[in-house]
Amino acid sequence: LLRNYTQNIDSLELVAGVTQVYHCHGSFATATCMDCKREVSGAVIKPAVLSGKIPRCQPCLEAEATNTASSQPKRGKPKPKKKKKARASNHTESDDSDNEASHPHITGLMKPGITFFGEPLSSSFDAQLWADRAEVDLLVIIGTSLKVRPVSEILAHIPHSIPQILINKTPIEHINPDIVLLGECDKIIEYLCHDLEWVSPSRIEERGQPRRKRRPEEVQSAEYPRRLGASHVWMFEGAKLPMPYARKHDPSFTRERKTKKQRLN
């Protein structure tokens, strides 16, 4: 695996053991203080997030408490308040107070290391994509609608000579990959592992065991996919595709037709 570009922000790829991951929209693996820019592990703010609290930077809170204590004036007779002169304005004082209350400054706010809607992606995205472009020999697209830019434009940056395989529950009609496998992504991957006699990591009893070919008694039967006509599109269990798309690739397509079962040896 050269690189796994993911839009997921939950870091499940790392938990699954994938190391060559680029988080296009960041992840919860880290968090940064909006004031002092101190970066910590996502595990530090996890308890606060799960309890519904706002995660705060402890050093900034301690510094604020120290500054507040040192700047408190000595107690004495309170000075009489001066009356403020009325000023002509297009808005009322209640508008000002509402604006201030709606955007209060929170000292030491910890922001997860993710890209929020409207924020630009890291500049490292373009650099990483440019470097991988020269080494990629196969592009596999799994479980996406390819509607969010700039990740959706990755395909346009890959040379046309590089084969592309789409594994998805629904077709993506604004791209034209070489192979389209439609259905439940997990089941499709299991089918490919059966056909190639691979052991998927989740099926390995002992973690850390290297991949190996299965013994004949370990190979299980799997549902054989249905090919749409003579096209590059195959349907697996759970596939959802509009009738016009199906008829485009197979004019005789009917939903009543069932897929055949075949033992893979």
Side-chain angles (χ1 to χ4, degrees):
L1 177 65
L2 174 63
R3 197 83 53 213
N4 176 13
Y5 285 83
T6 178
Q7 294 175 281
N8 297 330
I9 59 176
D10 50 20
S11 302
L12 287 182
E13 293 86 358
L14 299 176
V15 175
V18 182
T19 57
Q20 298 296 95
V21 182
Y22 183 88
H23 295 93
C24 302
H25 294 162
S27 73
F28 281 100
T30 60
T32 303
C33 176
M34 299 296 289
D35 289 332
C36 69
K37 307 305 178 185
R38 185 175 71 102
E39 184 176 280
V40 299
S41 169
V44 174
I45 69 169
K46 185 177 180 179
V49 173
L50 294 180
S51 61
K53 299 178 181 178
I54 298 177
R56 309 283 291 276
C57 175
Q58 194 61 33
C60 285
L61 292 179
E62 293 174 357
E64 182 184 47
T66 302
N67 294 336
T68 301
S70 60
S71 61
Q72 285 183 349
K74 296 181 179 180
R75 293 184 178 181
K77 293 183 178 180
K79 296 181 179 179
K81 294 183 179 179
K82 296 182 180 179
K83 294 183 178 180
K84 294 183 179 180
K85 294 182 179 180
R87 293 182 299 175
S89 175
N90 294 329
H91 57 273
T92 63
E93 291 184 7
S94 61
D95 294 332
D96 290 333
S97 60
D98 290 342
N99 289 335
E100 292 176 1
S102 61
H103 299 285
H105 174 71
I106 301 177
T107 301
L109 177 64
M110 298 296 294
K111 177 184 178 294
I114 61 176
T115 302
F116 287 100
F117 183 80
E119 291 183 329
L121 294 187
S122 170
S123 58
S124 63
F125 174 80
D126 292 329
Q128 187 66 71
L129 183 58
W130 181 257
D132 291 341
R133 182 182 183 275
E135 298 186 45
V136 62
D137 55 13
L138 172 66
L139 179 65
V140 182
I141 309 120
I142 304 179
T144 178
S145 63
L146 284 182
K147 292 182 179 179
V148 180
R149 299 176 59 188
V151 176
S152 61
E153 300 174 345
I154 289 181
L155 278 70
H157 294 277
I158 302 300
H160 294 295
S161 59
I162 303 302
Q164 301 176 5
I165 301 175
L166 171 66
I167 301 176
N168 219 35
K169 193 168 188 177
T170 58
I172 303 177
E173 300 191 49
H174 62 274
I175 64 172
N176 187 30
D178 299 283
I179 299 293
V180 178
L181 308 178
L182 299 176
E184 298 286 349
C185 295
D186 290 348
K187 294 185 179 298
I188 294 175
I189 297 300
E190 288 182 2
Y191 174 88
L192 295 177
C193 288
H194 290 163
D195 207 23
L196 296 170
E197 298 185 355
W198 285 354
V199 176
S200 57
S202 60
R203 297 291 182 89
I204 297 177
E205 295 180 0
E206 298 179 6
R207 292 188 177 276
Q209 178 181 345
R211 287 177 179 238
R212 59 176 175 80
K213 284 195 173 183
R214 290 189 172 191
R215 295 185 293 272
E217 61 270 19
E218 293 179 310
V219 179
Q220 302 175 2
S221 62
E223 186 171 317
Y224 191 75
R226 174 188 175 183
R227 187 176 184 179
L228 293 185
S231 71
H232 60 297
V233 182
W234 277 263
M235 285 180 58
F236 289 77
E237 180 182 349
K240 291 186 177 181
L241 64 165
M243 185 62 75
Y245 179 88
R247 290 284 176 85
K248 174 183 176 182
H249 298 285
D250 184 0
S252 63
F253 176 83
T254 57
R255 296 193 185 278
E256 291 74 21
R257 183 180 175 184
K258 296 182 178 180
T259 55
K260 298 180 181 179
K261 289 187 177 180
Q262 174 176 320
R263 179 172 291 277
L264 303 177
N265 298 320

